[in-house]
Amino acid sequence: MGDLLNLISDNLAIFWSYTGFANATYGHFIMILVGIFFIYLAIAKEFEPMLLIPIGFGILIGNIPFNMEAGLQIGIYEQGSVLNILYQGVTSGWYPPLIFLGIGAMTDFSALISNPKLMLIGAAAQFGIFGAYMIALQMGFDPSQAGAIGIIGGADGPTAIFLSSKLAPNLMGAIAVSAYSYMALVPVIQPPIMRLLTTKKERVMRMRPPRAVSHTEKVIFPIAGLLLTCFLVPSGLPLLGMLFFGNLLKESGVTRRLANTANGPLIDTITILLGLTVGASTQASEFLTFNSVKIFMLGALSFIIATASGVIFVKLFNLILKKENRINPLIGNAGVSAVPDSARISQIVGQEYDPTNYLLMHAMGPNVAGVIGSAVAAGVLLGFLN
């Protein structure tokens, strides 16, 4: 009887050593609370639910404690585990180009084609990337790490993941979560900056209606865009090539099935895998470091700089434009790459001061320019720092 009780006791002790309760640390519980908070923001506040629910649940998955010495091969950092295999799409950098393929297939560049000077706003907003890069260098990060952190200012999660996988793989989890977090918080961060930097007179400024864009122009744009941007920055080819390819599928008019696949099932599948694995990569032991805190601070700063740069650039640009061609500075925030949320914020803030002023179509110009601009900026940083 005694031997049986000892056997049961030993087996229970072994079982307990395998449970999450026996292997949990305070860090695991902190990260689980972060994951629940992301899910709350997605459901209760509707902040980027397509992103925050996969990331939030991924954080829960990545922070289930287990006995790492047992050889179970279930963790995302354990070679051969299912999660590790799925995570290779992030570490190898092939999820982001597929996301860009879907973005291209769902994006209408008409607003930008009809008013090409709006491209300059998207370019100006990228100052947030290079501003954060310089600040990160001053904070002690090496040039490659600083470049990967700075890209958060572009408010483009796939680009941030792509660049960090090449330049700073050890910081990729913190950079990716930071980038997607600030993308989700666009409705919270941008409006106060826009109001602070504009006058009431500027906020009610009306813009000339965009001209109609022909089918031929829409077909030529992705071809010309690919050649111009990638001849200038060849290192941006994986992102820019897929972006413009997806757009050609959409605009050609003869590959509708391919475009529908790219902007529907394909991008949805990759978004699920990307969000879940990025979230799961935030294991407490890897994520809860002082560097992660600094990355979140720099991410917020770069996003603020990018938003402010876009608004201020429009105000300065208006000084040299004819009165009838002037641009409402409220669309300057849309130069960041958070499509279409930052463009919607331009519309929402503008209608607070004039309910009959519709800025959304105008704001989509710098918004899609920001997508191109962030990919070009990533290519520049990759070319210089890799």
Side-chain angles (χ1 to χ4, degrees):
M1 186 65 178
D3 291 341
L4 179 60
L5 290 176
N6 287 334
L7 179 62
I8 293 173
S9 176
D10 291 343
N11 287 338
L12 288 175
I14 293 171
F15 172 76
W16 175 256
S17 71
Y18 279 85
T19 65
F21 297 105
N23 293 281
T25 65
Y26 287 114
H28 289 111
F29 292 115
I30 291 171
M31 291 307 303
I32 286 171
L33 289 175
V34 171
I36 292 172
F37 179 63
F38 274 35
I39 294 171
Y40 165 78
L41 290 178
I43 296 174
K45 302 297 182 181
E46 296 188 14
F47 287 172
E48 290 287 353
M50 300 292 187
L51 297 174
L52 289 193
I53 285 183
I55 291 174
F57 203 82
I59 293 173
L60 301 185
I61 289 175
N63 286 280
I64 299 296
F66 61 93
N67 188 337
M68 299 184 69
E69 297 178 358
L72 299 175
Q73 288 193 319
I74 57 174
I76 197 166
Y77 293 111
E78 294 181 291
Q79 292 295 324
S81 72
V82 173
L83 285 175
N84 179 262
I85 292 169
L86 294 176
Y87 189 50
Q88 288 174 18
V90 176
T91 56
S92 300
W94 55 268
Y95 284 160
L98 291 175
I99 293 283
F100 263 66
L101 174 65
I103 292 173
M106 67 173 64
T107 300
D108 185 351
F109 286 99
S110 296
L112 184 60
I113 298 170
S114 69
N115 193 356
K117 63 178 176 286
L118 296 179
M119 175 69 80
L120 297 175
I121 305 174
Q126 306 314 312
F127 183 75
I129 294 173
F130 297 100
Y133 168 71
M134 291 184 286
I135 296 170
L137 288 175
Q138 297 301 313
M139 293 180 67
F141 290 98
D142 66 43
S144 293
Q145 292 174 332
I149 294 167
I151 204 70
I152 298 172
D156 189 332
T159 302
I161 291 171
F162 177 79
L163 191 63
S164 59
S165 71
K166 305 297 183 184
L167 298 181
N170 59 315
L171 301 179
M172 185 164 51
I175 290 170
V177 172
S178 178
Y180 279 117
S181 297
Y182 293 122
M183 285 175 64
L185 292 174
V186 161
V188 176
I189 297 173
Q190 287 198 323
I193 301 170
M194 296 160 65
R195 296 187 188 102
L196 178 66
L197 296 176
T198 56
T199 65
K200 186 174 181 180
K201 182 179 179 181
E202 288 173 327
R203 294 173 204 143
V204 298
M205 185 183 297
R206 290 179 176 270
M207 296 175 61
R208 176 186 292 180
R211 67 173 179 83
V213 176
S214 69
H215 176 253
T216 302
E217 288 177 292
K218 291 182 179 182
V219 171
I220 291 173
F221 179 81
I223 299 171
L226 171 70
L227 297 177
L228 288 173
T229 58
C230 291
F231 266 80
L232 182 65
V233 188
S235 48
L237 183 61
L239 298 179
L240 291 165
M242 296 300 269
L243 175 73
F244 288 122
F245 174 51
N247 189 245
L248 183 61
L249 292 179
K250 173 182 182 295
E251 301 298 356
S252 68
V254 294
T255 52
R256 193 164 290 109
R257 281 174 52 195
L258 299 182
N260 290 340
T261 298
N263 68 29
L266 178 62
I267 195 171
D268 288 345
T269 301
I270 300 300
T271 298
I272 291 170
L273 295 175
L274 180 66
L276 193 70
T277 53
V278 163
S281 72
T282 62
Q283 284 185 6
S285 59
E286 302 285 336
F287 190 82
L288 288 180
T289 64
F290 185 55
N291 273 346
S292 294
V293 175
K294 290 196 289 185
I295 287 169
F296 268 80
M297 291 170 56
L298 283 167
L301 184 61
S302 64
F303 195 75
I304 291 169
I305 294 172
T307 302
S309 297
V311 175
I312 292 171
F313 173 79
V314 174
K315 290 166 69 75
L316 296 175
F317 196 30
N318 280 339
L319 297 177
I320 61 172
L321 292 176
K322 294 180 180 179
K323 186 175 181 180
E324 64 272 16
N325 292 329
R326 286 178 183 168
I327 302 167
N328 189 315
L330 287 180
I331 74 169
N333 76 297
V336 301
S337 180
V339 179
D341 291 332
S342 54
R344 289 197 192 110
I345 296 304
S346 303
Q347 169 84 356
I348 290 168
V349 176
Q351 291 202 318
E352 289 177 5
Y353 299 92
D354 182 357
T356 64
N357 193 9
Y358 296 94
L359 295 175
L360 182 61
M361 189 59 188
H362 300 291
M364 284 303 297
N367 207 186
V368 296
V371 177
I372 299 171
S374 64
V376 170
V380 170
L381 290 169
L382 186 61
F384 279 101
L385 300 175
N386 190 24

